[in-house]
Amino acid sequence: MRFLAPHLLHLAWLALIPLALYLFKKKARRVPVSTLLFFRSLAREHQESAWLRKIKKWLSLLLTLLMLFLIVLALARPVGEAGADSPGAVVLLMDRSASMAARDEKGRTRLEEARQLARAKLKSLPEQVVVSLVACDAKAHVLLSRSRNRRECLRLLDELSPRPLTLRPDIALVTAARLAELEPGTQVWHFGDRPFESGADLAYQFHSAALDAPLNAGITAFQIRPAPLAHDRYEAFVKVTAAPANTRRVTSTLEVTLAGRLAQLRELELEPGESSALILPLEGVKGQRMTVQLKTPGDCLGWDDAVAAVLPRSRPLVVAWVAENADPFTELALTSMIEAGRIEMLRGTPAAWPMSDKPDVYVFEQWLPDPWPADRPAIVLNPPKSAGPVQVRRLTGAGLPHESVRSAAPEHPVLFRVSSSRLAITQTGVLDTGASLEPLWMAGSEPVLAAGEVEGQRLVVSAFSPARSEQLALLPAFPLMLGNALYWCAEQAAALAEIQTRHPGDLLEEEGLLRWTEWDGTRFLETTEVLQGGVTAITRLGAWENGDDRTGVSALASAAETSVPARATEDSASASLPAFAAGPVFRDWPAILTATLLFLLLLESWLFHRKAVY
Amino acid sequence: MSQAALEREDLFDAAFLDRLRSLAVRLRKRRALSRRGAQSTPATGFTREFKDYRHYTPREDYRAIDWRLYARLDKLFVRLYEETQELNLHVLVDTSASMARPFGEKRRQALRFAVALAYLGLAAQQRVSLYSLSDTVRQELPPLRGQGNIEKVIQSATRLDFGGLTDLERGFTEFRPTRQRYGVIFVLSDFFGRDVNTASHAIQRAAAWPGETHFVQILHPEEREPRIEGEVELDEVETGERRRFWLTRRDVQRYSETFDAFCDTLARECAAHRMDFMQCGATEPFEDRFLDLLNRGSALAGGV
């Protein structure tokens, strides 16, 4: 027997109280009476047994101490030790993530299938086996802990429903492992659509509720933002993925509506497992609602088929530009963004450093502060020396001209829609990117543009002089690159919080009435939700607006959940675990303690009241 | 000042004796208004008081023939004389320990009753005997007559030793006055025996006593309704037996019910055998209760 709360065993000192009371108890008052005649007849009903009279003093103390001991023992939550006669326990891991909402041709969800499997397995279990029920999605919820109450377990099973959340197998397994530690011979039965890969150290058994031939395509990424250099223009990034388990190539239609009108229509053909990333330019005004819906014939999962968003009303980014010698190209790029209303600029010279106002992003040009400010993301253009995380060796003279530049990471957000073709630049320094910075542009074998995170600070460093570079080609590329860099650096800033795509389960700090354009898996609904304030977890898919014109997007956007798996030909672990045999009746220590305590109370009551130990 | 003297003052102080005398006078006056002569009986005897004539029948004592009447009427008549009978007063005082402890008021009340009764008897020229009753019955004073003997009665009452067990059956069996000692018997006791039925059996034996019997049960209020609750060790004063009880209010109530049933049984038993039974509280005013006793129609009250 082990104890889950052994620190409560210290309460055993309470036994000293009845012991002291017993040792220092007040003696009965002696009262002289004329006759015991009538008292004797009164006591006839309460006549104590002679043997009881002899042991009553000790018996009373003993029973009190025993009861106290049992109570302390029960508080310490004992659990049974491993033994040969243990019937063991089962931890039911019920997957209720988004993919469990996939329906078969009869319209049954995978969770319903899993529930049916679980009910059948539960009925075949011996009564003594202890059952725990864990519902897992992005978190693991222990709905029933170590109980023999099958009826309660079945009731909780019936209450389960899929949630638009991404499954976290690691969390589910940790919870299952902790529950398994409490009871020897615990088997973990996982009911879901795909087995966990790292459950090998557990007595793990997977029961598949997956579809035999699933067909699914869904939106696995979504992001909307204002175009950096233009008014009333937005860019939506949408990634569509076909499930790898699809049996055939699918043809999907992507419908984009803006303010209720069809804005774009794209047709995609996707092989199983194939993804397609789209950038959808949108022309609209802030506050308009847009929806993106993916229609795929035979699609089994609806939650990943649509996204709704409100064109964001983001406030301008505040950029602090500190330059020793301002490059006209930089000034031109930043000025165009100011005109587009995307940024507000705090311009200063090194003499004004440090700044009293705190911007969203620092831009240092041909100058680096010392000490290095690590509190904001920074864009360092053409640094003259090394400082902080920026390690550069300045080239002597006018720099090293390069005829062409190669994109080392064209998918990086900083290079979004930035063409590097026909760029001729003049390198002014040699960057040491180290392990934290990723080279984006390479001039020859040297990086001239790099980006990355150094100890949580986003950083973009360029080592070329735009003024001395080929101007014609750099003219459109450099402002776009700088705008991208600003947005990428300030991604976590409060100014851009509204355009971040959130997921169900994320925490939302809102209060009051939220108006939702909610996606229920089949259609969009206009709903409302009242939040009492504080932090609330998002449970819906769609777009919301509150009374203060704050908006947000909640989308499933999970490649893992969109990849609805197919049932394996053979459940790998289904036959590997031994069947449970009926064990001894008493394995539940709390039940034993409670029964003993009850018995002692009854015994004491009978001895000292019914039998009147006087 | 000795302990006996102290107790004597406590029991029979001068005021008590004064009250007793005035009580006796009041009783005498009351009797004088309703009756004439002292204790006449329908029987004839050999006193000097002439009562009637009757025809002589053979085998009668010829000395009783009135020869003068024979000379006048030529018929034999015998003279009948008034016979007066001497009354005996027996006072039995329970001297078991339960009469003195834990409530000394019981002893005081019993002795006051005894002395008062003896005083009335002596004042009425009756023969007064005092007995102590515990495990047996003992005659503490030989029959006394005359008011002047009251001091002897008081001294004897003061010297009574209260202790030991109560054995009512044995006491009542051993106490058996002869026909010649016919009179009024007063038993002053709490009637607590070894068993609930002991007192009833003893009363049945007392039914055989010659004369008029009065039982006066002297009780303390706390004996009927003890003011104890919780865990107590009860110590019986007569036997020294100790028992532990956990008494609740309900237990005390049931005790009182049992006690009342005991007293009711005693009263019924006395009534069944035409004996007087009176209950007297140890803390009640003595004079009121004593008058109550006399008003119950005692021959003693009639003789004063």
Coordinates of all heavy atoms in Angstrom, one line a residue, chain A residues 25-48 53 56-57 614, chain B residues 98 102 192 194-196 223 228 231-237 241-247 251 254-255 258-259 262:
Chain A
K25 N -8.5 12.4 32.3 CA -9.9 12.6 32.3 C -10.5 12.8 33.8 O -9.9 12.3 34.8 CB -10.6 11.4 31.7 CG -10.6 10.1 32.6 CD -11.4 9.1 31.9 CE -11.4 7.8 32.7 NZ -12.1 6.7 32.1
K26 N -11.5 13.6 33.8 CA -12.1 13.9 35.1 C -12.8 12.7 35.6 O -13.5 12.0 34.9 CB -13.1 15.0 34.9 CG -13.6 15.7 36.1 CD -14.5 16.8 35.7 CE -15.3 17.3 36.9 NZ -16.3 18.2 36.6
K27 N -12.6 12.4 36.9 CA -13.3 11.3 37.5 C -14.8 11.5 37.7 O -15.2 12.7 37.9 CB -12.6 10.9 38.8 CG -11.3 10.3 38.7 CD -10.7 9.7 39.9 CE -9.4 9.0 39.7 NZ -8.8 8.6 40.9
A28 N -15.5 10.5 37.7 CA -17.0 10.6 37.9 C -17.3 11.2 39.3 O -16.6 10.9 40.3 CB -17.7 9.3 37.7
R29 N -18.2 12.1 39.4 CA -18.6 12.7 40.6 C -19.3 11.7 41.5 O -20.1 10.9 41.1 CB -19.6 13.8 40.3 CG -20.0 14.7 41.5 CD -20.6 16.0 40.9 NE -21.7 15.8 40.0 CZ -22.9 15.9 40.3 NH1 -23.3 16.2 41.6 NH2 -23.9 15.6 39.4
R30 N -18.8 11.6 42.8 CA -19.4 10.7 43.7 C -20.6 11.3 44.4 O -20.4 12.4 45.0 CB -18.4 10.2 44.7 CG -18.9 9.1 45.6 CD -17.8 8.5 46.5 NE -16.8 7.8 45.7 CZ -15.7 7.3 46.2 NH1 -15.4 7.5 47.5 NH2 -14.8 6.7 45.4
V31 N -21.7 10.7 44.3 CA -22.9 11.3 45.0 C -23.5 10.2 45.9 O -23.8 9.1 45.5 CB -24.0 11.6 43.9 CG1 -25.2 12.1 44.5 CG2 -23.4 12.6 42.9
P32 N -23.5 10.6 47.2 CA -24.2 9.7 48.2 C -25.7 9.7 48.0 O -26.3 10.8 47.8 CB -23.8 10.2 49.5 CG -23.5 11.7 49.3 CD -23.0 11.8 47.9
V33 N -26.3 8.5 48.0 CA -27.8 8.4 47.9 C -28.3 7.5 49.0 O -27.6 6.7 49.5 CB -28.2 7.9 46.5 CG1 -27.9 8.8 45.4 CG2 -27.5 6.5 46.2
S34 N -29.6 7.8 49.3 CA -30.2 7.0 50.4 C -30.3 5.5 50.0 O -30.1 4.6 50.8 CB -31.6 7.5 50.6 OG -31.6 8.9 50.9
T35 N -30.6 5.3 48.8 CA -30.8 3.9 48.3 C -30.5 3.9 46.8 O -30.8 4.8 46.1 CB -32.2 3.4 48.6 OG1 -32.3 2.0 48.1 CG2 -33.3 4.2 47.9
L36 N -30.0 2.7 46.4 CA -29.8 2.5 45.0 C -31.0 1.7 44.4 O -30.9 1.3 43.2 CB -28.5 1.7 44.7 CG -27.2 2.4 44.9 CD1 -26.0 1.5 44.8 CD2 -27.1 3.5 43.8
L37 N -32.0 1.5 45.2 CA -33.1 0.7 44.8 C -33.7 1.0 43.5 O -33.8 0.2 42.6 CB -34.2 0.8 45.9 CG -35.3 -0.2 45.9 CD1 -34.7 -1.6 46.2 CD2 -36.3 0.2 47.0
F38 N -34.0 2.3 43.3 CA -34.7 2.7 42.1 C -33.7 3.0 40.9 O -34.0 2.8 39.8 CB -35.5 4.0 42.3 CG -36.3 3.9 43.6 CD1 -36.0 4.5 44.8 CD2 -37.4 3.0 43.6 CE1 -36.7 4.4 45.9 CE2 -38.2 2.9 44.7 CZ -37.8 3.5 45.9
F39 N -32.4 3.3 41.3 CA -31.4 3.4 40.3 C -31.1 2.1 39.7 O -30.9 1.9 38.5 CB -30.1 4.1 40.8 CG -30.3 5.5 41.2 CD1 -30.4 5.9 42.5 CD2 -30.3 6.5 40.2 CE1 -30.5 7.3 42.8 CE2 -30.4 7.8 40.5 CZ -30.5 8.2 41.8
R40 N -31.1 1.1 40.6 CA -30.8 -0.3 40.1 C -31.8 -0.7 39.1 O -31.5 -1.4 38.1 CB -30.7 -1.2 41.3 CG -29.6 -2.2 41.2 CD -29.5 -3.0 42.4 NE -28.8 -2.4 43.5 CZ -29.3 -2.4 44.8 NH1 -30.5 -2.9 45.0 NH2 -28.6 -1.8 45.7
S41 N -33.1 -0.5 39.5 CA -34.1 -0.9 38.5 C -34.1 -0.1 37.2 O -34.4 -0.6 36.2 CB -35.5 -0.7 39.2 OG -35.7 0.7 39.3
L42 N -33.6 1.1 37.3 CA -33.4 1.9 36.1 C -32.3 1.4 35.3 O -32.4 1.3 34.0 CB -33.0 3.4 36.5 CG -32.9 4.4 35.4 CD1 -34.3 4.8 34.9 CD2 -32.2 5.6 36.0
A43 N -31.2 1.0 35.9 CA -30.1 0.5 35.2 C -30.2 -0.9 34.7 O -29.4 -1.5 34.0 CB -28.8 0.5 36.1
R44 N -31.3 -1.6 35.1 CA -31.5 -3.0 34.6 C -31.5 -3.1 33.1 O -31.0 -4.0 32.6 CB -32.8 -3.5 35.2 CG -32.8 -5.0 35.2 CD -33.9 -5.5 36.1 NE -33.7 -5.3 37.5 CZ -34.6 -4.9 38.4 NH1 -35.9 -4.7 38.0 NH2 -34.3 -4.7 39.6
E45 N -32.1 -2.1 32.5 CA -32.1 -2.1 31.0 C -30.8 -1.9 30.4 O -30.5 -2.3 29.3 CB -33.1 -1.0 30.5 CG -34.5 -1.3 30.8 CD -35.4 -0.2 30.3 OE1 -35.0 0.6 29.5 OE2 -36.5 -0.1 30.8
H46 N -29.9 -1.2 31.2 CA -28.6 -0.8 30.6 C -27.5 -1.7 31.3 O -26.4 -1.3 31.4 CB -28.3 0.6 30.9 CG -29.3 1.5 30.4 ND1 -29.6 1.7 29.0 CD2 -30.2 2.3 31.0 CE1 -30.6 2.5 28.9 NE2 -31.0 2.9 30.0
Q47 N -27.9 -2.8 31.8 CA -26.9 -3.6 32.5 C -25.7 -4.0 31.6 O -25.9 -4.5 30.5 CB -27.5 -4.8 33.1 CG -26.7 -5.5 34.1 CD -26.5 -4.7 35.4 OE1 -27.5 -4.1 35.9 NE2 -25.3 -4.6 35.9
E48 N -24.6 -3.7 32.0 CA -23.4 -4.0 31.1 C -23.0 -5.4 31.5 O -23.2 -5.9 32.5 CB -22.3 -3.0 31.4 CG -21.8 -3.1 32.8 CD -20.7 -2.1 33.1 OE1 -20.0 -1.8 32.1 OE2 -20.6 -1.6 34.2
R53 N -17.3 -4.6 31.3 CA -16.9 -3.7 32.4 C -15.4 -3.7 32.6 O -14.8 -2.7 32.9 CB -17.7 -4.0 33.7 CG -17.7 -2.9 34.7 CD -18.3 -3.4 36.0 NE -19.6 -4.0 35.8 CZ -20.1 -5.0 36.5 NH1 -19.4 -5.4 37.5 NH2 -21.3 -5.5 36.3
K56 N -13.7 -2.0 29.5 CA -14.3 -0.9 28.9 C -13.4 0.3 28.8 O -13.4 1.1 27.9 CB -15.6 -0.5 29.6 CG -15.4 -0.1 31.1 CD -16.7 0.3 31.7 CE -16.4 0.7 33.2 NZ -17.6 0.9 33.9
K57 N -12.6 0.5 29.8 CA -11.7 1.7 29.9 C -10.7 1.7 28.7 O -10.5 2.6 28.0 CB -10.9 1.7 31.2 CG -11.7 2.1 32.4 CD -10.9 2.1 33.6 CE -11.7 2.3 34.8 NZ -11.0 2.2 36.1
Y614 N -21.4 1.6 31.7 CA -21.3 2.5 32.8 C -20.5 1.9 33.9 O -20.6 0.7 34.2 CB -22.7 2.9 33.4 CG -23.5 3.6 32.4 CD1 -24.9 3.3 32.3 CD2 -23.0 4.6 31.7 CE1 -25.7 4.0 31.4 CE2 -23.8 5.3 30.8 CZ -25.1 5.0 30.7 OH -25.9 5.7 29.8
Chain B
S98 N -30.1 5.5 55.9 CA -30.7 6.3 54.9 C -31.6 7.4 55.5 O -32.0 8.3 54.8 CB -31.6 5.4 54.0 OG -32.7 4.8 54.7
P102 N -28.0 10.9 52.9 CA -27.3 12.2 52.8 C -28.2 13.4 53.2 O -27.7 14.5 53.2 CB -26.9 12.3 51.3 CG -28.0 11.6 50.6 CD -28.4 10.5 51.5
F192 N -37.4 2.3 52.6 CA -36.5 1.8 51.6 C -35.9 0.5 52.1 O -35.1 0.5 53.0 CB -35.3 2.8 51.3 CG -35.8 4.1 50.8 CD1 -35.0 5.3 51.0 CD2 -36.9 4.2 50.0 CE1 -35.4 6.5 50.4 CE2 -37.3 5.5 49.5 CZ -36.5 6.6 49.7
R194 N -34.5 -3.6 50.9 CA -33.5 -4.2 50.0 C -34.0 -4.4 48.6 O -33.3 -4.6 47.7 CB -33.0 -5.6 50.5 CG -32.2 -5.6 51.8 CD -30.8 -4.8 51.6 NE -31.0 -3.4 51.9 CZ -30.3 -2.5 51.2 NH1 -29.5 -2.8 50.3 NH2 -30.4 -1.2 51.5
D195 N -35.3 -4.4 48.6 CA -36.0 -4.7 47.3 C -37.2 -3.8 47.2 O -37.7 -3.3 48.2 CB -36.4 -6.2 47.2 CG -36.8 -6.6 45.9 OD1 -36.0 -6.7 45.0 OD2 -38.0 -6.8 45.7
V196 N -37.7 -3.6 46.0 CA -38.9 -2.8 45.8 C -40.1 -3.3 46.6 O -40.9 -2.6 47.1 CB -39.2 -2.6 44.3 CG1 -40.4 -1.7 44.1 CG2 -38.0 -2.0 43.6
E223 N -34.9 12.9 46.9 CA -35.0 11.4 46.8 C -36.0 11.1 45.7 O -35.9 10.1 45.0 CB -35.4 10.8 48.1 CG -34.3 10.8 49.1 CD -34.7 10.2 50.4 OE1 -35.9 10.4 50.8 OE2 -33.8 9.6 51.1
I228 N -29.2 15.2 39.7 CA -27.9 14.7 39.2 C -28.1 14.3 37.7 O -29.1 13.8 37.3 CB -27.4 13.5 40.0 CG1 -28.5 12.4 40.2 CG2 -26.7 13.9 41.2 CD1 -28.0 11.2 40.9
E231 N -22.2 11.7 34.2 CA -21.5 10.5 34.7 C -21.4 10.7 36.2 O -20.7 11.7 36.7 CB -20.2 10.3 34.1 CG -19.6 8.9 34.4 CD -18.3 8.7 33.7 OE1 -17.7 9.7 33.2 OE2 -17.8 7.6 33.8
V232 N -21.9 9.8 37.0 CA -21.8 9.9 38.5 C -21.5 8.5 39.1 O -21.8 7.5 38.5 CB -23.1 10.5 39.1 CG1 -23.3 11.9 38.8 CG2 -24.3 9.7 38.6
E233 N -20.9 8.6 40.2 CA -20.7 7.3 40.9 C -21.6 7.4 42.2 O -21.4 8.3 43.1 CB -19.3 7.2 41.3 CG -19.0 5.8 42.0 CD -17.6 5.6 42.3 OE1 -17.0 6.5 43.1 OE2 -17.0 4.6 42.0
L234 N -22.6 6.6 42.2 CA -23.6 6.7 43.3 C -23.1 5.8 44.4 O -22.7 4.6 44.2 CB -25.0 6.3 42.8 CG -25.6 7.1 41.7 CD1 -26.9 6.7 41.3 CD2 -25.6 8.6 42.1
D235 N -23.2 6.3 45.6 CA -22.7 5.6 46.8 C -23.9 5.4 47.8 O -24.4 6.4 48.3 CB -21.6 6.5 47.4 CG -21.0 5.8 48.7 OD1 -21.4 4.7 48.9 OD2 -20.2 6.5 49.4
E236 N -24.3 4.2 47.9 CA -25.5 4.0 48.8 C -25.0 4.0 50.3 O -24.0 3.3 50.6 CB -26.1 2.6 48.5 CG -27.5 2.5 49.2 CD -28.0 1.1 49.0 OE1 -27.6 0.1 49.6 OE2 -29.0 1.0 48.2
V237 N -25.6 4.8 51.1 CA -25.1 5.1 52.4 C -25.3 3.9 53.3 O -24.5 3.7 54.3 CB -25.8 6.3 53.0 CG1 -25.4 7.6 52.3 CG2 -27.3 6.2 53.1
E241 N -22.4 0.4 48.8 CA -22.3 -0.1 47.4 C -22.2 1.1 46.5 O -22.9 2.1 46.6 CB -23.5 -0.9 47.0 CG -23.5 -1.5 45.6 CD -24.8 -2.2 45.2 OE1 -25.6 -2.4 46.1 OE2 -24.9 -2.5 44.0
R242 N -21.2 1.0 45.5 CA -21.0 2.1 44.6 C -21.3 1.6 43.2 O -20.8 0.5 42.8 CB -19.6 2.6 44.7 CG -19.4 3.4 45.9 CD -17.9 3.8 46.0 NE -17.6 4.4 47.3 CZ -16.4 4.6 47.8 NH1 -15.4 4.2 47.1 NH2 -16.3 5.1 49.0
R243 N -22.0 2.4 42.4 CA -22.2 2.1 41.0 C -22.1 3.3 40.2 O -22.6 4.4 40.6 CB -23.6 1.4 40.9 CG -23.7 0.1 41.6 CD -24.8 -0.7 41.1 NE -24.7 -1.1 39.7 CZ -25.5 -1.9 39.1 NH1 -26.5 -2.4 39.8 NH2 -25.4 -2.2 37.9
R244 N -21.6 3.1 39.0 CA -21.4 4.3 38.1 C -22.6 4.3 37.1 O -23.0 3.3 36.5 CB -20.1 4.2 37.3 CG -18.9 4.4 38.1 CD -17.7 4.0 37.3 NE -17.3 5.2 36.5 CZ -16.3 5.9 36.7 NH1 -15.5 5.7 37.8 NH2 -16.0 6.9 35.9
F245 N -23.1 5.4 36.9 CA -24.2 5.6 36.0 C -23.9 6.8 35.1 O -23.2 7.7 35.5 CB -25.5 5.9 36.7 CG -26.1 4.8 37.4 CD1 -25.7 4.5 38.7 CD2 -27.0 3.9 36.8 CE1 -26.2 3.4 39.4 CE2 -27.5 2.9 37.5 CZ -27.1 2.6 38.8
W246 N -24.5 6.8 33.9 CA -24.5 8.0 33.1 C -26.0 8.3 33.0 O -26.7 7.7 32.2 CB -23.9 7.7 31.7 CG -23.8 9.0 30.9 CD1 -24.8 9.7 30.3 CD2 -22.6 9.7 30.7 NE1 -24.3 10.8 29.7 CE2 -23.0 10.9 29.9 CE3 -21.3 9.5 31.0 CZ2 -22.0 11.8 29.5 CZ3 -20.3 10.5 30.6 CH2 -20.7 11.6 29.9
L247 N -26.4 9.3 33.7 CA -27.8 9.7 33.8 C -28.1 10.8 32.9 O -27.5 11.8 32.9 CB -28.1 10.1 35.3 CG -28.0 9.0 36.3 CD1 -28.3 9.5 37.7 CD2 -29.0 7.9 36.0
D251 N -33.5 9.6 32.0 CA -33.3 8.6 33.0 C -33.8 9.1 34.4 O -34.5 8.3 35.1 CB -31.8 8.3 33.2 CG -31.3 7.5 32.0 OD1 -32.1 6.7 31.4 OD2 -30.1 7.6 31.7
R254 N -37.5 8.8 34.4 CA -37.9 7.4 34.6 C -37.7 7.0 36.1 O -38.5 6.2 36.6 CB -37.2 6.5 33.6 CG -37.6 6.7 32.2 CD -36.9 5.9 31.2 NE -37.0 4.5 31.5 CZ -36.0 3.6 31.6 NH1 -34.8 4.1 31.3 NH2 -36.1 2.4 31.9
Y255 N -36.7 7.5 36.7 CA -36.4 7.2 38.1 C -37.6 7.7 38.9 O -38.1 7.0 39.8 CB -35.1 7.9 38.5 CG -34.9 7.9 40.0 CD1 -34.2 6.9 40.6 CD2 -35.4 9.0 40.7 CE1 -34.0 6.9 42.0 CE2 -35.2 9.0 42.1 CZ -34.5 8.0 42.7 OH -34.3 8.1 44.1
T258 N -40.6 5.5 38.6 CA -40.4 4.3 39.4 C -40.6 4.6 40.9 O -41.3 3.8 41.6 CB -39.0 3.7 39.2 OG1 -38.7 3.7 37.8 CG2 -38.9 2.3 39.8
F259 N -40.1 5.7 41.4 CA -40.2 6.1 42.8 C -41.7 6.3 43.1 O -42.1 5.8 44.2 CB -39.4 7.3 43.0 CG -39.2 7.7 44.5 CD1 -38.2 7.2 45.2 CD2 -40.1 8.5 45.1 CE1 -38.1 7.5 46.5 CE2 -40.0 8.9 46.4 CZ -39.0 8.4 47.1
F262 N -43.5 3.1 43.5 CA -43.2 2.5 44.8 C -44.1 3.1 45.9 O -44.7 2.3 46.7 CB -41.7 2.7 45.1 CG -41.3 2.4 46.5 CD1 -41.2 1.1 46.9 CD2 -41.0 3.4 47.4 CE1 -40.8 0.8 48.2 CE2 -40.6 3.1 48.7 CZ -40.5 1.8 49.1

